[in-house]
Amino acid sequence: MSYTILDFEPDTALLNPHFDGYKLRLAESDDATTIYSLESVTAGPQKLPSGAQLSYDETYFRVHYNHLFIGPRDCTFIFIDSAGVAHMISVDKQGPLQTIVLFAIPQQESDSALTGYPGAYSLSESLILLFDGVENMYVVQQVSATREREQWSAIGVFCIGSGPIAAGSAESHTRRTMHSILGAALEHEAARKSIRLHACCQVDRPTETAAGQSGDRGVGACPSPALPGAAALRQKTPPPFCIKAMQVDLPQLVCDTDFQVTQPREPATLYPRIVHTLRSHAIPVYCENAVGDMYVLGVRDGVELDGTESASRPHSPSEASLPAVPPHIPDLYYWSQTPSDVTMCIELPASVSAQQVQCVLTRLAITLRFSEAPECEAKYGFNHAMLCDEIVAGESVWTIENGRLLTLYLQKSREGARWPTLFNKDDGVLETMDPNEFAAIRERLQQLTSDSLDLRRSAGVPALTLATETVDLDSDEIEQEGSSVVFSVRDWRTGVASASSVAGSPNWLCSSFSRPLSQRQESNGELPPVCLRFDIDGAMFGFNSNTGAMHAGTSTSTNVRAGASVCPQHYGTFAALSYIQASKREKRFMYVDPDMTVAVLAETQRRIYVYHQAVSASSNTAAQSVVDLGNAAVAGETEEVLGIQLSGRMLVVLREHSICTIDLDRC
């Protein structure tokens, strides 16, 4: 398949190598923070049932789920309480908090072990989409409005679990256990209105039969990628995810300005249509509709288009002769890592010489071939297996000992980054190497390689001198974060990618705050920006509609189609943000302002860290504010932070029993 390269190369003119750190700025007044008590308890993190098994992505998604949603009008937000009632609040610096009950979401019992969280998605000033956390979506419309009050009512309901089976089979062992709503938007087509919705659900991976053939893969399933250990450890591999693009027509239901309904009525049953499905090994971190019939998707490891887009592509006729999936082999390899490198060991079934081994190490992948060794070739030969993260190919080596032990010594490109798996598709092989054996292998490698290949030298990251005690920069406490995310521009009708960053995927740092609905409607196709990790900084990239403006490069395909509908552009930097956020062990939320004024880190309890943008691009320091919410406790216990949003220069924080507003101009 051919596609245009999405280039996320940062603009060096927007980086400040002389930045020293953030200085603590004291609040200008004691009334920068205002706390409003809520009459109902906010729906927060759920206790998992005993025996529940979650992948890392599902756990991360649930822990960092933002329970505060953007409302349909400026300065309005929505939260859902523990009883399933959706409330809309209106915040204003000059007035009290106003609360409106939107709709009581009907609660239902789910036969799944796990359910998702409820959500609210504003479609227009008078239309909101509510999710019950299981499978039902309610279209809620404003039906009356006066100066004293306004009334909302559900005019339609549909089930996102309905329709044909998109992935997996209909049997119980592949049932969906949890839905995550990625985004929703109102689409105007002539006189018809419809909702475009992206949802993600988990589908168990089929088990392997005794003959080594896969079982019932279901409708639209994709072949497994040719990764080491994929067949041998299929049952250990976390189940993949199904990303569903759905469209729901709203015939004769929605009116924009005339409120004719005076009495509540039963919502009409709507029927969603599955436009296309994708398969992924992670929950997407970014999903936004672009101009026309395109959308931008950001997901770790990328996606596979069901039935039409292969997971890997041979690079030469000789490579095409290798099996798509290696046969069932137990204990295919074992591996371990340090902050600076990764060691992979393979015990070969037959003795081979170094001349028979062809090991090609590139920045992102490994190719391993064996000549005149059919047993080794059949069991351990693989092509262009994508690694979990980048390596320094020129400083990575391999050795063969006694003709049987093949060891690959890989230098990490990002020193300190922790690899959850060896390859970018989780094959279930954990770090099982005995520490004593690993130390012995490292000692032998040191004897076999020169000092020029020693991978323990410094990564060259400048030390930061931060003028505040609120940031602990003890190197032993820093955990480098940031996983590689593949962005792609896809056709809404088919799901086919026209552009992708797969050849140079950036490292994810955080999302930006959602803009108010009015600003999104006036943005002329501009998508929400993202903050990506570049060395120790946070680089802000926006997505602009600019046909043909992207760099046409070479992807995994030989042919590249020039031009695309969306172009990423580096437009600003939060200096040292990546370095600083790694020290925040208790952080739950992290967002940046699309207008580049502040970056916000919120802990699970108590503290909110606000990092202000530097006065100029050449400033050596910038201001930092710390807001402590610990004094506002209910029954002597500190409340958890359940969500945050930004409204102009006001930060809104949702907690279990209260809403807090923070005036950023005073702190």
Side-chain angles (χ1 to χ4, degrees), residues 336-393:
S336 190
Q337 64 180 310
T338 71
S340 61
D341 49 66
V342 174
T343 299
M344 172 187 179
C345 293
I346 300 176
E347 295 181 356
L348 301 176
S351 180
V352 297
S353 65
Q355 289 72 27
Q356 293 176 271
V357 180
Q358 300 175 6
C359 183
V360 180
L361 304 175
T362 65
R363 179 173 61 93
L364 295 171
I366 300 175
T367 296
L368 184 62
R369 303 296 303 272
F370 298 89
S371 60
E372 299 181 359
E375 189 175 0
C376 296
E377 176 74 5
K379 293 183 177 180
Y380 299 104
F382 54 86
N383 300 303
H384 205 68
M386 300 296 292
L387 294 167
C388 176
D389 204 343
E390 297 182 11
I391 64 172
V392 183

Side-chain angles (χ1 to χ4, degrees), residues 312-584:
S312 60
R313 172 193 169 277
H315 292 263
S316 67
S318 61
E319 292 177 354
S321 63
L322 284 180
V325 178
H328 183 88
I329 302 295
D331 302 326
L332 192 60
Y333 69 91
Y334 50 100
W335 69 287
S336 190
Q337 64 180 310
T338 71
S340 61
D341 49 66
V342 174
T343 299
M344 172 187 179
C345 293
I346 300 176
E347 295 181 356
L348 301 176
S351 180
V352 297
S353 65
Q355 289 72 27
Q356 293 176 271
V357 180
Q358 300 175 6
C359 183
V360 180
L361 304 175
T362 65
R363 179 173 61 93
L364 295 171
I366 300 175
T367 296
L368 184 62
R369 303 296 303 272
F370 298 89
S371 60
E372 299 181 359
E375 189 175 0
C376 296
E377 176 74 5
K379 293 183 177 180
Y380 299 104
F382 54 86
N383 300 303
H384 205 68
M386 300 296 292
L387 294 167
C388 176
D389 204 343
E390 297 182 11
I391 64 172
V392 183
E395 298 182 353
S396 301
V397 297
W398 62 271
T399 64
I400 183 75
E401 297 183 55
N402 301 322
R404 301 294 290 266
L405 180 61
L406 178 64
T407 304
L408 282 68
Y409 187 72
L410 310 175
Q411 163 72 23
K412 293 180 179 178
S413 178
R414 297 191 300 123
E415 183 172 359
R418 188 74 180 173
W419 289 20
T421 59
L422 181 59
F423 295 95
N424 70 339
K425 297 285 178 74
D426 188 354
D427 55 8
V429 180
L430 304 177
E431 295 180 68
T432 57
M433 186 180 294
D434 181 77
N436 295 330
E437 182 181 4
F438 179 55
I441 292 173
R442 290 178 61 85
E443 183 178 355
R444 291 197 299 271
L445 282 171
Q446 289 179 347
Q447 297 173 355
L448 293 170
T449 57
S450 65
D451 293 338
S452 63
L453 293 178
D454 185 5
L455 308 184
R456 293 164 185 78
R457 55 177 175 263
S458 172
V461 178
L464 292 180
T465 305
L466 299 192
T468 172
E469 297 179 356
T470 60
V471 179
D472 182 7
L473 294 180
D474 185 349
S475 59
D476 294 335
E477 298 297 326
I478 298 293
E479 178 183 352
Q480 294 285 355
E481 295 188 357
S483 57
S484 179
V485 171
V486 177
F487 288 91
S488 57
V489 181
R490 296 183 173 270
D491 189 290
W492 164 257
R493 292 183 173 86
T494 64
V496 175
S498 60
S500 175
S501 66
V502 69
S505 299
N507 292 312
W508 178 262
L509 195 57
C510 68
S511 302
S512 61
F513 282 109
S514 298
R515 293 184 184 274
L517 186 62
S518 60
Q519 294 186 19
R520 282 182 282 166
Q521 294 172 341
E522 298 171 357
S523 62
N524 193 26
E526 182 180 348
L527 302 183
V530 295
C531 188
L532 304 177
R533 180 185 184 274
F534 181 71
D535 200 1
I536 64 172
D537 298 327
M540 294 289 293
F541 278 84
F543 297 94
N544 299 320
S545 300
N546 192 359
T547 303
M550 275 181 282
H551 166 68
T554 302
S555 66
T556 53
S557 303
T558 55
N559 298 323
V560 175
R561 182 168 59 197
S565 60
V566 177
C567 178
Q569 182 180 3
H570 180 204
Y571 70 93
T573 304
F574 278 98
L577 182 62
S578 174
Y579 191 88
I580 290 173
Q581 63 85 30
S583 69
K584 305 302 180 187

Side-chain angles (χ1 to χ4, degrees), residues 16 30 57 121 147 181 198 240 250 500 518 545 612 659:
N16 183 5
D30 296 333
D57 288 275
Y121 311 92
R147 291 184 178 181
I181 306 302
H198 281 93
L250 303 175
S500 175
S518 60
S545 300
H612 301 265
I659 289 283

Side-chain angles (χ1 to χ4, degrees), residues 58 160 164-168 174 176 178-182 198-204 219-221 239-246 274 276-284 297 303-304 306:
E58 290 171 302
I160 60 176
I165 299 298
T174 57
R176 298 170 179 81
M178 175 175 146
H179 277 96
S180 306
I181 306 302
L182 306 178
H198 281 93
C200 182
C201 60
Q202 176 193 9
V203 181
D204 291 342
V219 178
F241 295 91
C242 174
I243 304 170
K244 297 187 290 186
M246 294 178 286
I274 296 180
H276 67 264
T277 64
L278 303 171
R279 294 293 291 271
S280 166
H281 284 261
I283 299 176
L297 188 69
V303 299
E304 303 166 6
D306 290 354

Side-chain angles (χ1 to χ4, degrees), residues 193-222:
K193 294 181 180 179
S194 62
I195 298 174
R196 289 186 174 183
L197 175 73
H198 281 93
C200 182
C201 60
Q202 176 193 9
V203 181
D204 291 342
R205 186 185 293 271
T207 58
E208 195 80 5
T209 63
Q213 301 295 327
S214 62
D216 179 19
R217 305 184 65 90
V219 178
C222 292

Side-chain angles (χ1 to χ4, degrees), residues 124-206:
S124 69
E125 289 191 0
S126 59
L127 204 64
I128 299 172
L129 190 63
L130 297 177
F131 177 47
D132 68 353
V134 182
E135 60 181 4
N136 290 325
M137 307 287 296
Y138 294 86
V139 183
V140 180
Q141 185 182 18
Q142 184 181 18
V143 294
S144 66
T146 64
R147 291 184 178 181
E148 291 76 20
R149 57 171 300 183
E150 58 183 271
Q151 183 179 2
W152 294 70
S153 177
I155 60 174
V157 60
F158 60 92
C159 177
I160 60 176
S162 64
I165 299 298
S169 70
E171 299 180 10
S172 60
H173 69 276
T174 57
R175 72 184 189 276
R176 298 170 179 81
T177 57
M178 175 175 146
H179 277 96
S180 306
I181 306 302
L182 306 178
L186 187 64
E187 181 70 15
H188 297 263
E189 297 179 358
R192 185 185 64 178
K193 294 181 180 179
S194 62
I195 298 174
R196 289 186 174 183
L197 175 73
H198 281 93
C200 182
C201 60
Q202 176 193 9
V203 181
D204 291 342
R205 186 185 293 271

Side-chain angles (χ1 to χ4, degrees), residues 4-325:
T4 302
I5 294 297
L6 292 175
D7 188 2
F8 284 89
E9 188 67 25
D11 184 355
T12 56
L14 298 177
L15 304 177
N16 183 5
H18 305 293
F19 187 77
D20 291 330
Y22 291 88
K23 291 184 177 181
L24 183 62
R25 186 173 73 182
L26 299 178
E28 296 182 2
S29 62
D30 296 333
D31 58 351
T33 302
T34 306
I35 300 175
Y36 304 93
S37 297
L38 297 176
E39 296 181 359
S40 56
V41 179
T42 306
Q46 304 168 354
K47 292 184 178 180
L48 299 179
S50 60
Q53 296 181 357
L54 292 178
S55 67
Y56 171 82
D57 288 275
E58 290 171 302
T59 303
Y60 185 92
F61 181 84
R62 294 174 75 90
V63 171
H64 300 278
Y65 186 80
N66 195 340
H67 294 265
L68 186 61
F69 308 93
I70 292 293
R73 297 185 288 274
D74 291 353
C75 302
T76 61
F77 304 92
I78 300 172
F79 71 91
I80 300 172
D81 65 22
S82 56
V85 179
H87 303 260
M88 182 170 67
I89 61 173
S90 178
V91 297
D92 193 332
K93 290 184 179 181
Q94 308 301 325
L97 184 75
Q98 298 180 356
T99 304
I100 299 172
V101 175
L102 293 176
F103 179 69
I105 303 175
Q107 301 297 293
Q108 62 171 308
E109 294 293 333
S110 172
D111 57 359
S112 299
L114 296 171
T115 60
Y117 286 135
Y121 311 92
S122 298
L123 304 176
S124 69
E125 289 191 0
S126 59
L127 204 64
I128 299 172
L129 190 63
L130 297 177
F131 177 47
D132 68 353
V134 182
E135 60 181 4
N136 290 325
M137 307 287 296
Y138 294 86
V139 183
V140 180
Q141 185 182 18
Q142 184 181 18
V143 294
S144 66
T146 64
R147 291 184 178 181
E148 291 76 20
R149 57 171 300 183
E150 58 183 271
Q151 183 179 2
W152 294 70
S153 177
I155 60 174
V157 60
F158 60 92
C159 177
I160 60 176
S162 64
I165 299 298
S169 70
E171 299 180 10
S172 60
H173 69 276
T174 57
R175 72 184 189 276
R176 298 170 179 81
T177 57
M178 175 175 146
H179 277 96
S180 306
I181 306 302
L182 306 178
L186 187 64
E187 181 70 15
H188 297 263
E189 297 179 358
R192 185 185 64 178
K193 294 181 180 179
S194 62
I195 298 174
R196 289 186 174 183
L197 175 73
H198 281 93
C200 182
C201 60
Q202 176 193 9
V203 181
D204 291 342
R205 186 185 293 271
T207 58
E208 195 80 5
T209 63
Q213 301 295 327
S214 62
D216 179 19
R217 305 184 65 90
V219 178
C222 292
S224 299
L227 290 180
L233 297 157
R234 186 178 301 277
Q235 295 186 16
K236 298 180 182 179
T237 304
F241 295 91
C242 174
I243 304 170
K244 297 187 290 186
M246 294 178 286
Q247 186 157 341
V248 186
D249 293 332
L250 303 175
Q252 308 299 322
L253 287 177
V254 179
C255 82
D256 291 326
T257 57
D258 298 327
F259 306 115
Q260 304 295 338
V261 180
T262 58
Q263 297 295 329
R265 61 184 181 184
E266 288 296 322
T269 300
L270 307 178
Y271 300 95
R273 176 172 59 91
I274 296 180
V275 181
H276 67 264
T277 64
L278 303 171
R279 294 293 291 271
S280 166
H281 284 261
I283 299 176
V285 296
Y286 189 89
C287 184
E288 295 289 342
N289 290 320
V291 292
D293 289 323
M294 308 296 290
Y295 69 95
V296 178
L297 188 69
V299 58
R300 182 170 60 84
D301 302 337
V303 299
E304 303 166 6
L305 181 62
D306 290 354
T308 61
E309 190 177 67
S310 62
S312 60
R313 172 193 169 277
H315 292 263
S316 67
S318 61
E319 292 177 354
S321 63
L322 284 180
V325 178

